Amino acid sequence: MPLLSGRKPLSLTLTFLMFVLFLSTAACADGRVAQAPAEGRFPVPKYIFLFIGDGMGPAQVGLSGAVLDSSSTLAMTGFPVLGTITTHAEDRYITDSGAAGTALATGSKTSVGTISMKSNHRDTLRTVAELARRDGMRVGIVSSVGIDNATPACFFSHNAKRSNYYDIAAQMASSGFDYFGGGFAEGDFLQNRLNGSVNRTDIPTLMRSSGYRVVSDRSSLRSVQPGTKCWAYTGYDGKAAMSFEMDRKEQDISLAEFTREGIRLLDNPNGFFMMVEGGKIDWACHANDAAAAAHDVVAFDDAVREAEAFSRSHPDETLIVVTADHECGGLSLGNGRRGYDSRISLLRRQKVSLERFTRKVAGWQASRNVSFSMALDSVKVYFGLGDASADSSLVLSGEERTVLSKAYRGGSAKGAAGSAASGSAAGFASAVTAMLNAKAGIGWASNAHTAVPVQVFAAGVGSEAFGGYYDNTGIAGKLIRLARFGERR
């Protein structure tokens, strides 16, 4: 009898049903096969962490292995659920952090440069952080860049232009959120400019007048008591951002520390929501600085480990979601020069970021007492280039020395990876970094964002909902439904 005609034997029917049941319930260890149950069936998470690696595409995650010991792995890649999201803005295929941050914070698309408003720039969009606060949870926002930069801003403010830093920073004071940590406020640099005929109040004063304790060092932060509203920042640059991790000074607070102290301050019977951004990943990728990007991915992952440690004490109440707003730089782990013979471990030879090295070179050129041969000695120290005793791949060819010489002395040349190297401190530093990247087998498509889909890693209560392939607006939508915001009271 044909298999599909007439009545099937009972044993065959039972076997088929059991097979279908197995397929519908089984999942791979990483959660990518099984279809998640309806989100409303999950227990309601009491503690919610959303980590955003700005500019962190799949290649950036993979690249971070270059600065890890062979026995170490990233915490996020060990999470049981893996998803993928698209990142386009409402009005452009390649997004910026304003539109992408808005999507992650509100579940709605908007135009580039817009902060948690519709693209008409009249209607505001309620953020998941605001919904959490409305439902009685404490709320924390942490970032390694300026706290009024686009991604963190999308969770506590609403503005038609991401460049309105002062107006955005001022909304921290009126947000009612419990904790802000990481970078300073770029908007504070604008506070002495006249707004009409009245000077604007500086941001720290605004925060203090709204009941926040403002601290800027490790010991002061540790002294803040839970339940006290706090804005904590550390050493910052001309754009209010923390240092790249590989340049961070001992006295500067790390992203992981800001996360750990935030957990301490936010923990309470009503639960909390915390967003943590690794913003300097993006900045490193804009500069095509692979080593700095890798170090900042690891620093970001160290912050994830703080949430993971907390979740072990609250395993049935904690949800951790890690994702990115977009990819930056078109990073490839492989290039045309080395083909299959990549040497990504060479990036471990780089000791300072491109940004910091540029400042060093500018000092040399201003003093006019550092010769090119002396500069090459420093290149060997900071990047390993020219150190044949360490690795033959680090040898500088005559052509490469010529490129560096022209860049250092004020000529122009093309870097080893094809990037332009102008006769300036930035040009010389960029040529050096490009050479190390090329020798390591790293490639870059641009200095801008790309539309490459990015990963989602999730663990804890309701994490199954974050598997699969979907749009970035789905992150906030899933968080809102899982947390049942609006139904808690």
PDB file of all heavy atoms in Angstrom, residues 90 98-99 101-103 105-106 108-127 130 153-155 157-162 164 168 171:
ATOM      1  N   GLU A  90      14.302  54.637   8.881  1.00  0.00           N
ATOM      2  CA  GLU A  90      13.073  54.844   8.103  1.00  0.00           C
ATOM      3  C   GLU A  90      13.370  55.448   6.747  1.00  0.00           C
ATOM      4  O   GLU A  90      12.723  55.123   5.750  1.00  0.00           O
ATOM      5  CB  GLU A  90      12.126  55.756   8.887  1.00  0.00           C
ATOM      6  CG  GLU A  90      10.792  56.008   8.197  1.00  0.00           C
ATOM      7  CD  GLU A  90       9.904  56.928   9.014  1.00  0.00           C
ATOM      8  OE1 GLU A  90       9.459  56.503  10.100  1.00  0.00           O
ATOM      9  OE2 GLU A  90       9.676  58.073   8.577  1.00  0.00           O
ATOM     10  N   GLY A  98      21.245  57.608  15.952  1.00  0.00           N
ATOM     11  CA  GLY A  98      19.995  58.212  16.385  1.00  0.00           C
ATOM     12  C   GLY A  98      18.799  57.368  15.987  1.00  0.00           C
ATOM     13  O   GLY A  98      17.970  56.986  16.817  1.00  0.00           O
ATOM     14  N   ALA A  99      18.714  57.048  14.703  1.00  0.00           N
ATOM     15  CA  ALA A  99      17.596  56.237  14.220  1.00  0.00           C
ATOM     16  C   ALA A  99      17.666  54.811  14.770  1.00  0.00           C
ATOM     17  O   ALA A  99      16.638  54.234  15.151  1.00  0.00           O
ATOM     18  CB  ALA A  99      17.588  56.217  12.697  1.00  0.00           C
ATOM     19  N   GLY A 101      19.227  53.793  17.564  1.00  0.00           N
ATOM     20  CA  GLY A 101      18.953  53.840  18.993  1.00  0.00           C
ATOM     21  C   GLY A 101      17.477  54.006  19.278  1.00  0.00           C
ATOM     22  O   GLY A 101      16.929  53.402  20.209  1.00  0.00           O
ATOM     23  N   THR A 102      16.810  54.823  18.470  1.00  0.00           N
ATOM     24  CA  THR A 102      15.369  55.014  18.624  1.00  0.00           C
ATOM     25  C   THR A 102      14.628  53.708  18.402  1.00  0.00           C
ATOM     26  O   THR A 102      13.698  53.365  19.144  1.00  0.00           O
ATOM     27  CB  THR A 102      14.862  56.091  17.652  1.00  0.00           C
ATOM     28  OG1 THR A 102      15.453  57.357  17.992  1.00  0.00           O
ATOM     29  CG2 THR A 102      13.353  56.210  17.696  1.00  0.00           C
ATOM     30  N   ALA A 103      15.025  52.967  17.381  1.00  0.00           N
ATOM     31  CA  ALA A 103      14.383  51.680  17.109  1.00  0.00           C
ATOM     32  C   ALA A 103      14.549  50.726  18.287  1.00  0.00           C
ATOM     33  O   ALA A 103      13.599  50.051  18.701  1.00  0.00           O
ATOM     34  CB  ALA A 103      14.957  51.064  15.835  1.00  0.00           C
ATOM     35  N   ALA A 105      15.173  51.538  21.394  1.00  0.00           N
ATOM     36  CA  ALA A 105      14.592  52.084  22.623  1.00  0.00           C
ATOM     37  C   ALA A 105      13.075  52.132  22.597  1.00  0.00           C
ATOM     38  O   ALA A 105      12.427  52.024  23.638  1.00  0.00           O
ATOM     39  CB  ALA A 105      15.136  53.486  22.876  1.00  0.00           C
ATOM     40  N   THR A 106      12.489  52.295  21.400  1.00  0.00           N
ATOM     41  CA  THR A 106      11.042  52.519  21.323  1.00  0.00           C
ATOM     42  C   THR A 106      10.284  51.476  20.522  1.00  0.00           C
ATOM     43  O   THR A 106       9.053  51.398  20.636  1.00  0.00           O
ATOM     44  CB  THR A 106      10.751  53.899  20.694  1.00  0.00           C
ATOM     45  OG1 THR A 106      11.064  53.865  19.286  1.00  0.00           O
ATOM     46  CG2 THR A 106      11.569  55.001  21.358  1.00  0.00           C
ATOM     47  N   SER A 108      10.115  51.661  17.246  1.00  0.00           N
ATOM     48  CA  SER A 108       9.595  52.379  16.076  1.00  0.00           C
ATOM     49  C   SER A 108      10.739  52.900  15.220  1.00  0.00           C
ATOM     50  O   SER A 108      11.775  53.319  15.745  1.00  0.00           O
ATOM     51  CB  SER A 108       8.728  53.564  16.512  1.00  0.00           C
ATOM     52  OG  SER A 108       7.587  53.129  17.217  1.00  0.00           O
ATOM     53  N   LYS A 109      10.535  52.910  13.925  1.00  0.00           N
ATOM     54  CA  LYS A 109      11.502  53.488  13.009  1.00  0.00           C
ATOM     55  C   LYS A 109      11.403  55.009  13.030  1.00  0.00           C
ATOM     56  O   LYS A 109      10.335  55.584  13.296  1.00  0.00           O
ATOM     57  CB  LYS A 109      11.249  53.003  11.579  1.00  0.00           C
ATOM     58  CG  LYS A 109      11.526  51.530  11.345  1.00  0.00           C
ATOM     59  CD  LYS A 109      13.014  51.230  11.384  1.00  0.00           C
ATOM     60  CE  LYS A 109      13.293  49.792  10.943  1.00  0.00           C
ATOM     61  NZ  LYS A 109      14.719  49.440  11.113  1.00  0.00           N
ATOM     62  N   THR A 110      12.518  55.654  12.720  1.00  0.00           N
ATOM     63  CA  THR A 110      12.511  57.091  12.538  1.00  0.00           C
ATOM     64  C   THR A 110      13.615  57.465  11.565  1.00  0.00           C
ATOM     65  O   THR A 110      14.347  56.603  11.067  1.00  0.00           O
ATOM     66  CB  THR A 110      12.681  57.840  13.879  1.00  0.00           C
ATOM     67  OG1 THR A 110      12.351  59.219  13.695  1.00  0.00           O
ATOM     68  CG2 THR A 110      14.111  57.711  14.413  1.00  0.00           C
ATOM     69  N   SER A 111      13.746  58.762  11.272  1.00  0.00           N
ATOM     70  CA  SER A 111      14.742  59.241  10.332  1.00  0.00           C
ATOM     71  C   SER A 111      16.097  59.395  11.013  1.00  0.00           C
ATOM     72  O   SER A 111      16.187  59.519  12.238  1.00  0.00           O
ATOM     73  CB  SER A 111      14.302  60.593   9.753  1.00  0.00           C
ATOM     74  OG  SER A 111      13.991  61.512  10.796  1.00  0.00           O
ATOM     75  N   VAL A 112      17.154  59.399  10.204  1.00  0.00           N
ATOM     76  CA  VAL A 112      18.499  59.511  10.763  1.00  0.00           C
ATOM     77  C   VAL A 112      18.646  60.830  11.503  1.00  0.00           C
ATOM     78  O   VAL A 112      18.073  61.854  11.133  1.00  0.00           O
ATOM     79  CB  VAL A 112      19.574  59.383   9.663  1.00  0.00           C
ATOM     80  CG1 VAL A 112      19.541  58.014   9.029  1.00  0.00           C
ATOM     81  CG2 VAL A 112      19.410  60.473   8.611  1.00  0.00           C
ATOM     82  N   GLY A 113      19.400  60.797  12.585  1.00  0.00           N
ATOM     83  CA  GLY A 113      19.655  62.002  13.364  1.00  0.00           C
ATOM     84  C   GLY A 113      18.581  62.351  14.360  1.00  0.00           C
ATOM     85  O   GLY A 113      18.719  63.323  15.106  1.00  0.00           O
ATOM     86  N   THR A 114      17.520  61.555  14.414  1.00  0.00           N
ATOM     87  CA  THR A 114      16.382  61.849  15.281  1.00  0.00           C
ATOM     88  C   THR A 114      16.482  61.038  16.567  1.00  0.00           C
ATOM     89  O   THR A 114      16.839  59.865  16.542  1.00  0.00           O
ATOM     90  CB  THR A 114      15.064  61.541  14.560  1.00  0.00           C
ATOM     91  OG1 THR A 114      15.007  62.296  13.341  1.00  0.00           O
ATOM     92  CG2 THR A 114      13.867  61.908  15.422  1.00  0.00           C
ATOM     93  N   ILE A 115      16.132  61.668  17.684  1.00  0.00           N
ATOM     94  CA  ILE A 115      16.229  61.023  18.992  1.00  0.00           C
ATOM     95  C   ILE A 115      14.837  60.755  19.562  1.00  0.00           C
ATOM     96  O   ILE A 115      14.155  61.663  20.042  1.00  0.00           O
ATOM     97  CB  ILE A 115      17.035  61.894  19.981  1.00  0.00           C
ATOM     98  CG1 ILE A 115      18.424  62.201  19.429  1.00  0.00           C
ATOM     99  CG2 ILE A 115      17.120  61.226  21.355  1.00  0.00           C
ATOM    100  CD1 ILE A 115      19.305  60.992  19.231  1.00  0.00           C
ATOM    101  N   SER A 116      14.383  59.517  19.465  1.00  0.00           N
ATOM    102  CA  SER A 116      13.112  59.046  20.044  1.00  0.00           C
ATOM    103  C   SER A 116      11.940  59.971  19.747  1.00  0.00           C
ATOM    104  O   SER A 116      11.143  60.317  20.619  1.00  0.00           O
ATOM    105  CB  SER A 116      13.274  58.806  21.548  1.00  0.00           C
ATOM    106  OG  SER A 116      14.091  57.680  21.765  1.00  0.00           O
ATOM    107  N   MET A 117      11.866  60.371  18.511  1.00  0.00           N
ATOM    108  CA  MET A 117      10.709  61.089  17.972  1.00  0.00           C
ATOM    109  C   MET A 117      10.375  60.479  16.616  1.00  0.00           C
ATOM    110  O   MET A 117      11.238  59.865  15.970  1.00  0.00           O
ATOM    111  CB  MET A 117      10.997  62.582  17.801  1.00  0.00           C
ATOM    112  CG  MET A 117      11.287  63.344  19.078  1.00  0.00           C
ATOM    113  SD  MET A 117      11.471  65.125  18.778  1.00  0.00           S
ATOM    114  CE  MET A 117       9.736  65.584  18.508  1.00  0.00           C
ATOM    115  N   LYS A 118       9.139  60.658  16.186  1.00  0.00           N
ATOM    116  CA  LYS A 118       8.799  60.248  14.830  1.00  0.00           C
ATOM    117  C   LYS A 118       9.512  61.160  13.843  1.00  0.00           C
ATOM    118  O   LYS A 118       9.950  62.265  14.185  1.00  0.00           O
ATOM    119  CB  LYS A 118       7.288  60.303  14.625  1.00  0.00           C
ATOM    120  CG  LYS A 118       6.521  59.244  15.402  1.00  0.00           C
ATOM    121  CD  LYS A 118       5.040  59.271  15.061  1.00  0.00           C
ATOM    122  CE  LYS A 118       4.287  58.165  15.803  1.00  0.00           C
ATOM    123  NZ  LYS A 118       2.829  58.177  15.473  1.00  0.00           N
ATOM    124  N   SER A 119       9.605  60.725  12.619  1.00  0.00           N
ATOM    125  CA  SER A 119      10.333  61.487  11.611  1.00  0.00           C
ATOM    126  C   SER A 119       9.673  62.821  11.288  1.00  0.00           C
ATOM    127  O   SER A 119      10.322  63.695  10.697  1.00  0.00           O
ATOM    128  CB  SER A 119      10.481  60.658  10.327  1.00  0.00           C
ATOM    129  OG  SER A 119       9.219  60.233   9.846  1.00  0.00           O
ATOM    130  N   ASN A 120       8.427  63.007  11.704  1.00  0.00           N
ATOM    131  CA  ASN A 120       7.800  64.314  11.507  1.00  0.00           C
ATOM    132  C   ASN A 120       8.325  65.352  12.496  1.00  0.00           C
ATOM    133  O   ASN A 120       8.019  66.533  12.398  1.00  0.00           O
ATOM    134  CB  ASN A 120       6.271  64.215  11.606  1.00  0.00           C
ATOM    135  CG  ASN A 120       5.790  63.714  12.962  1.00  0.00           C
ATOM    136  OD1 ASN A 120       6.492  63.778  13.973  1.00  0.00           O
ATOM    137  ND2 ASN A 120       4.561  63.192  12.993  1.00  0.00           N
ATOM    138  N   HIS A 121       9.095  64.891  13.480  1.00  0.00           N
ATOM    139  CA  HIS A 121       9.710  65.742  14.501  1.00  0.00           C
ATOM    140  C   HIS A 121       8.690  66.510  15.335  1.00  0.00           C
ATOM    141  O   HIS A 121       9.011  67.542  15.936  1.00  0.00           O
ATOM    142  CB  HIS A 121      10.711  66.716  13.862  1.00  0.00           C
ATOM    143  CG  HIS A 121      11.937  66.027  13.337  1.00  0.00           C
ATOM    144  ND1 HIS A 121      12.881  66.662  12.547  1.00  0.00           N
ATOM    145  CD2 HIS A 121      12.377  64.744  13.487  1.00  0.00           C
ATOM    146  CE1 HIS A 121      13.843  65.803  12.239  1.00  0.00           C
ATOM    147  NE2 HIS A 121      13.550  64.635  12.792  1.00  0.00           N
ATOM    148  N   ARG A 122       7.476  65.972  15.398  1.00  0.00           N
ATOM    149  CA  ARG A 122       6.440  66.548  16.268  1.00  0.00           C
ATOM    150  C   ARG A 122       6.023  65.573  17.360  1.00  0.00           C
ATOM    151  O   ARG A 122       5.780  65.989  18.492  1.00  0.00           O
ATOM    152  CB  ARG A 122       5.207  66.938  15.437  1.00  0.00           C
ATOM    153  CG  ARG A 122       5.428  68.063  14.456  1.00  0.00           C
ATOM    154  CD  ARG A 122       4.110  68.508  13.830  1.00  0.00           C
ATOM    155  NE  ARG A 122       3.443  67.427  13.108  1.00  0.00           N
ATOM    156  CZ  ARG A 122       3.666  67.136  11.833  1.00  0.00           C
ATOM    157  NH1 ARG A 122       4.538  67.843  11.125  1.00  0.00           N
ATOM    158  NH2 ARG A 122       3.025  66.138  11.244  1.00  0.00           N
ATOM    159  N   ASP A 123       5.961  64.307  17.041  1.00  0.00           N
ATOM    160  CA  ASP A 123       5.454  63.308  17.977  1.00  0.00           C
ATOM    161  C   ASP A 123       6.605  62.580  18.666  1.00  0.00           C
ATOM    162  O   ASP A 123       7.524  62.081  18.009  1.00  0.00           O
ATOM    163  CB  ASP A 123       4.579  62.283  17.241  1.00  0.00           C
ATOM    164  CG  ASP A 123       3.414  62.943  16.529  1.00  0.00           C
ATOM    165  OD1 ASP A 123       2.827  63.863  17.112  1.00  0.00           O
ATOM    166  OD2 ASP A 123       3.120  62.537  15.384  1.00  0.00           O
ATOM    167  N   THR A 124       6.553  62.528  19.983  1.00  0.00           N
ATOM    168  CA  THR A 124       7.569  61.789  20.727  1.00  0.00           C
ATOM    169  C   THR A 124       7.201  60.313  20.795  1.00  0.00           C
ATOM    170  O   THR A 124       6.036  59.938  20.671  1.00  0.00           O
ATOM    171  CB  THR A 124       7.725  62.341  22.156  1.00  0.00           C
ATOM    172  OG1 THR A 124       6.479  62.221  22.838  1.00  0.00           O
ATOM    173  CG2 THR A 124       8.167  63.795  22.128  1.00  0.00           C
ATOM    174  N   LEU A 125       8.205  59.486  21.010  1.00  0.00           N
ATOM    175  CA  LEU A 125       8.023  58.042  21.116  1.00  0.00           C
ATOM    176  C   LEU A 125       8.431  57.603  22.522  1.00  0.00           C
ATOM    177  O   LEU A 125       9.531  57.909  22.974  1.00  0.00           O
ATOM    178  CB  LEU A 125       8.884  57.322  20.068  1.00  0.00           C
ATOM    179  CG  LEU A 125       8.539  57.615  18.604  1.00  0.00           C
ATOM    180  CD1 LEU A 125       9.652  57.133  17.684  1.00  0.00           C
ATOM    181  CD2 LEU A 125       7.214  56.953  18.228  1.00  0.00           C
ATOM    182  N   ARG A 126       7.570  56.896  23.206  1.00  0.00           N
ATOM    183  CA  ARG A 126       7.852  56.449  24.555  1.00  0.00           C
ATOM    184  C   ARG A 126       8.915  55.358  24.530  1.00  0.00           C
ATOM    185  O   ARG A 126       8.816  54.405  23.755  1.00  0.00           O
ATOM    186  CB  ARG A 126       6.560  55.918  25.205  1.00  0.00           C
ATOM    187  CG  ARG A 126       6.695  55.587  26.697  1.00  0.00           C
ATOM    188  CD  ARG A 126       6.865  56.835  27.534  1.00  0.00           C
ATOM    189  NE  ARG A 126       5.702  57.691  27.501  1.00  0.00           N
ATOM    190  CZ  ARG A 126       4.644  57.575  28.316  1.00  0.00           C
ATOM    191  NH1 ARG A 126       4.616  56.602  29.226  1.00  0.00           N
ATOM    192  NH2 ARG A 126       3.642  58.408  28.233  1.00  0.00           N
ATOM    193  N   THR A 127       9.917  55.476  25.381  1.00  0.00           N
ATOM    194  CA  THR A 127      11.008  54.499  25.392  1.00  0.00           C
ATOM    195  C   THR A 127      10.743  53.395  26.405  1.00  0.00           C
ATOM    196  O   THR A 127       9.986  53.573  27.369  1.00  0.00           O
ATOM    197  CB  THR A 127      12.356  55.161  25.722  1.00  0.00           C
ATOM    198  OG1 THR A 127      12.420  55.449  27.130  1.00  0.00           O
ATOM    199  CG2 THR A 127      12.547  56.450  24.937  1.00  0.00           C
ATOM    200  N   GLU A 130      11.510  54.585  29.853  1.00  0.00           N
ATOM    201  CA  GLU A 130      10.446  55.409  30.440  1.00  0.00           C
ATOM    202  C   GLU A 130       9.274  54.554  30.897  1.00  0.00           C
ATOM    203  O   GLU A 130       8.661  54.819  31.941  1.00  0.00           O
ATOM    204  CB  GLU A 130       9.988  56.457  29.421  1.00  0.00           C
ATOM    205  CG  GLU A 130      11.032  57.527  29.151  1.00  0.00           C
ATOM    206  CD  GLU A 130      10.684  58.418  27.974  1.00  0.00           C
ATOM    207  OE1 GLU A 130      10.010  57.935  27.034  1.00  0.00           O
ATOM    208  OE2 GLU A 130      11.098  59.583  27.974  1.00  0.00           O
ATOM    209  N   ALA A 153      21.105  58.785  24.622  1.00  0.00           N
ATOM    210  CA  ALA A 153      20.078  59.829  24.580  1.00  0.00           C
ATOM    211  C   ALA A 153      18.719  59.267  24.189  1.00  0.00           C
ATOM    212  O   ALA A 153      17.680  59.721  24.682  1.00  0.00           O
ATOM    213  CB  ALA A 153      20.486  60.926  23.600  1.00  0.00           C
ATOM    214  N   CYS A 154      18.711  58.272  23.305  1.00  0.00           N
ATOM    215  CA  CYS A 154      17.444  57.722  22.817  1.00  0.00           C
ATOM    216  C   CYS A 154      16.614  57.069  23.914  1.00  0.00           C
ATOM    217  O   CYS A 154      15.415  56.853  23.730  1.00  0.00           O
ATOM    218  CB  CYS A 154      17.714  56.702  21.707  1.00  0.00           C
ATOM    219  SG  CYS A 154      18.206  57.448  20.138  1.00  0.00           S
ATOM    220  N   PHE A 155      17.216  56.775  25.053  1.00  0.00           N
ATOM    221  CA  PHE A 155      16.470  56.122  26.123  1.00  0.00           C
ATOM    222  C   PHE A 155      15.890  57.105  27.144  1.00  0.00           C
ATOM    223  O   PHE A 155      14.939  56.774  27.840  1.00  0.00           O
ATOM    224  CB  PHE A 155      17.368  55.099  26.823  1.00  0.00           C
ATOM    225  CG  PHE A 155      17.608  53.874  25.994  1.00  0.00           C
ATOM    226  CD1 PHE A 155      18.604  53.861  25.022  1.00  0.00           C
ATOM    227  CD2 PHE A 155      16.824  52.738  26.144  1.00  0.00           C
ATOM    228  CE1 PHE A 155      18.808  52.741  24.222  1.00  0.00           C
ATOM    229  CE2 PHE A 155      17.016  51.616  25.357  1.00  0.00           C
ATOM    230  CZ  PHE A 155      18.009  51.621  24.392  1.00  0.00           C
ATOM    231  N   SER A 157      15.657  60.841  26.364  1.00  0.00           N
ATOM    232  CA  SER A 157      15.334  62.155  25.821  1.00  0.00           C
ATOM    233  C   SER A 157      14.604  62.044  24.494  1.00  0.00           C
ATOM    234  O   SER A 157      14.499  60.967  23.898  1.00  0.00           O
ATOM    235  CB  SER A 157      16.612  62.993  25.641  1.00  0.00           C
ATOM    236  OG  SER A 157      17.400  62.461  24.596  1.00  0.00           O
ATOM    237  N   HIS A 158      14.131  63.194  24.036  1.00  0.00           N
ATOM    238  CA  HIS A 158      13.405  63.285  22.768  1.00  0.00           C
ATOM    239  C   HIS A 158      13.833  64.583  22.101  1.00  0.00           C
ATOM    240  O   HIS A 158      13.674  65.661  22.676  1.00  0.00           O
ATOM    241  CB  HIS A 158      11.898  63.273  22.996  1.00  0.00           C
ATOM    242  CG  HIS A 158      11.430  62.141  23.853  1.00  0.00           C
ATOM    243  ND1 HIS A 158      11.075  60.910  23.335  1.00  0.00           N
ATOM    244  CD2 HIS A 158      11.294  62.033  25.202  1.00  0.00           C
ATOM    245  CE1 HIS A 158      10.730  60.104  24.331  1.00  0.00           C
ATOM    246  NE2 HIS A 158      10.855  60.759  25.473  1.00  0.00           N
ATOM    247  N   ASN A 159      14.382  64.464  20.874  1.00  0.00           N
ATOM    248  CA  ASN A 159      14.850  65.667  20.201  1.00  0.00           C
ATOM    249  C   ASN A 159      14.890  65.432  18.701  1.00  0.00           C
ATOM    250  O   ASN A 159      15.171  64.310  18.256  1.00  0.00           O
ATOM    251  CB  ASN A 159      16.242  66.064  20.707  1.00  0.00           C
ATOM    252  CG  ASN A 159      16.523  67.537  20.508  1.00  0.00           C
ATOM    253  OD1 ASN A 159      16.768  67.986  19.396  1.00  0.00           O
ATOM    254  ND2 ASN A 159      16.491  68.293  21.607  1.00  0.00           N
ATOM    255  N   ALA A 160      14.621  66.473  17.952  1.00  0.00           N
ATOM    256  CA  ALA A 160      14.626  66.353  16.498  1.00  0.00           C
ATOM    257  C   ALA A 160      16.028  66.201  15.932  1.00  0.00           C
ATOM    258  O   ALA A 160      16.204  65.677  14.833  1.00  0.00           O
ATOM    259  CB  ALA A 160      13.953  67.573  15.874  1.00  0.00           C
ATOM    260  N   LYS A 161      17.047  66.647  16.680  1.00  0.00           N
ATOM    261  CA  LYS A 161      18.420  66.582  16.190  1.00  0.00           C
ATOM    262  C   LYS A 161      19.346  66.035  17.270  1.00  0.00           C
ATOM    263  O   LYS A 161      19.400  66.580  18.370  1.00  0.00           O
ATOM    264  CB  LYS A 161      18.910  67.961  15.754  1.00  0.00           C
ATOM    265  CG  LYS A 161      18.188  68.534  14.550  1.00  0.00           C
ATOM    266  CD  LYS A 161      18.779  69.884  14.159  1.00  0.00           C
ATOM    267  CE  LYS A 161      18.096  70.457  12.934  1.00  0.00           C
ATOM    268  NZ  LYS A 161      18.673  71.775  12.553  1.00  0.00           N
ATOM    269  N   ARG A 162      20.095  65.028  16.928  1.00  0.00           N
ATOM    270  CA  ARG A 162      21.024  64.424  17.873  1.00  0.00           C
ATOM    271  C   ARG A 162      22.135  65.389  18.269  1.00  0.00           C
ATOM    272  O   ARG A 162      22.794  65.223  19.295  1.00  0.00           O
ATOM    273  CB  ARG A 162      21.634  63.149  17.300  1.00  0.00           C
ATOM    274  CG  ARG A 162      22.385  63.341  15.989  1.00  0.00           C
ATOM    275  CD  ARG A 162      23.047  62.074  15.490  1.00  0.00           C
ATOM    276  NE  ARG A 162      24.149  61.661  16.350  1.00  0.00           N
ATOM    277  CZ  ARG A 162      24.879  60.573  16.134  1.00  0.00           C
ATOM    278  NH1 ARG A 162      24.618  59.790  15.098  1.00  0.00           N
ATOM    279  NH2 ARG A 162      25.864  60.258  16.945  1.00  0.00           N
ATOM    280  N   ASN A 164      21.768  68.445  19.194  1.00  0.00           N
ATOM    281  CA  ASN A 164      21.325  69.398  20.219  1.00  0.00           C
ATOM    282  C   ASN A 164      21.742  68.892  21.602  1.00  0.00           C
ATOM    283  O   ASN A 164      20.917  68.579  22.459  1.00  0.00           O
ATOM    284  CB  ASN A 164      19.803  69.596  20.145  1.00  0.00           C
ATOM    285  CG  ASN A 164      19.376  70.359  18.913  1.00  0.00           C
ATOM    286  OD1 ASN A 164      20.143  71.140  18.349  1.00  0.00           O
ATOM    287  ND2 ASN A 164      18.144  70.145  18.480  1.00  0.00           N
ATOM    288  N   ILE A 168      19.505  67.896  25.019  1.00  0.00           N
ATOM    289  CA  ILE A 168      19.418  66.465  25.348  1.00  0.00           C
ATOM    290  C   ILE A 168      19.947  66.205  26.747  1.00  0.00           C
ATOM    291  O   ILE A 168      19.313  65.527  27.553  1.00  0.00           O
ATOM    292  CB  ILE A 168      20.193  65.635  24.304  1.00  0.00           C
ATOM    293  CG1 ILE A 168      19.448  65.662  22.953  1.00  0.00           C
ATOM    294  CG2 ILE A 168      20.389  64.199  24.779  1.00  0.00           C
ATOM    295  CD1 ILE A 168      20.238  65.089  21.799  1.00  0.00           C
ATOM    296  N   GLN A 171      17.731  67.030  29.613  1.00  0.00           N
ATOM    297  CA  GLN A 171      16.609  66.119  29.862  1.00  0.00           C
ATOM    298  C   GLN A 171      16.982  64.991  30.823  1.00  0.00           C
ATOM    299  O   GLN A 171      16.096  64.300  31.327  1.00  0.00           O
ATOM    300  CB  GLN A 171      16.102  65.553  28.537  1.00  0.00           C
ATOM    301  CG  GLN A 171      15.398  66.600  27.676  1.00  0.00           C
ATOM    302  CD  GLN A 171      14.860  66.033  26.375  1.00  0.00           C
ATOM    303  OE1 GLN A 171      14.050  65.101  26.368  1.00  0.00           O
ATOM    304  NE2 GLN A 171      15.324  66.574  25.263  1.00  0.00           N
TER     305      GLN A 171
END
